[in-house]
Amino acid sequence: QMQLEESGGGSVHPGGSLTLSCAGSGFPLRYYAIAWFRQAPGKEREEVACVSSVDGSTAVAASVKDRFSISRDNAVNKGYLQMSDLKPDDTAVYYCAAGLMGEGVPCYRAATHGYWGQGTQVTVSS
């Protein structure tokens, strides 16, 4: 069974850090773009970061670019989202997605049309 599972969410104070993990099972993540999305209550889902399976290039949303980074470790079939200097506005459910990257297909689009995890809650409050 092919699936993704996020972990690492939790509650932190403003200024804190968390690293989210996205573990793939049943398929080799090395061939898949990995992306992170988040959705806060009452808001649209938004793109956070994406890492290509082709060349490892990354894209990070402007709103978090100075604080978040994305990485992958194909050897252990995982992707990561490193988050620092967290703010209350970062409170959301964070989802990872992974999709095969066809030629010319942007990272986020590839991931969106692939597999999704169940989400992990991140809460930032004082």
Side-chain angles (χ1 to χ4, degrees), residues 8-76:
S11 295
V12 296
H13 294 305
S17 299
L18 284 173
T19 295
L20 305 183
S21 297
C22 174
S25 60
F27 66 104
L29 269 180
R30 68 174 64 248
Y31 301 116
Y32 290 70
I34 301 171
W36 289 91
F37 300 82
R38 67 185 183 183
Q39 188 164 20
K43 294 188 177 181
E44 296 285 321
R45 185 181 72 194
E46 64 175 319
E47 299 169 343
V48 177
C50 196
V51 56
S52 168
S53 60
V54 176
D55 57 8
S57 59
T58 62
V60 182
S63 61
V64 300
K65 192 169 187 176
D66 294 334
R67 301 182 293 117
F68 291 12
S69 62
I70 187 171
S71 61
R72 62 191 302 150
D73 187 341
N74 293 333
V76 295

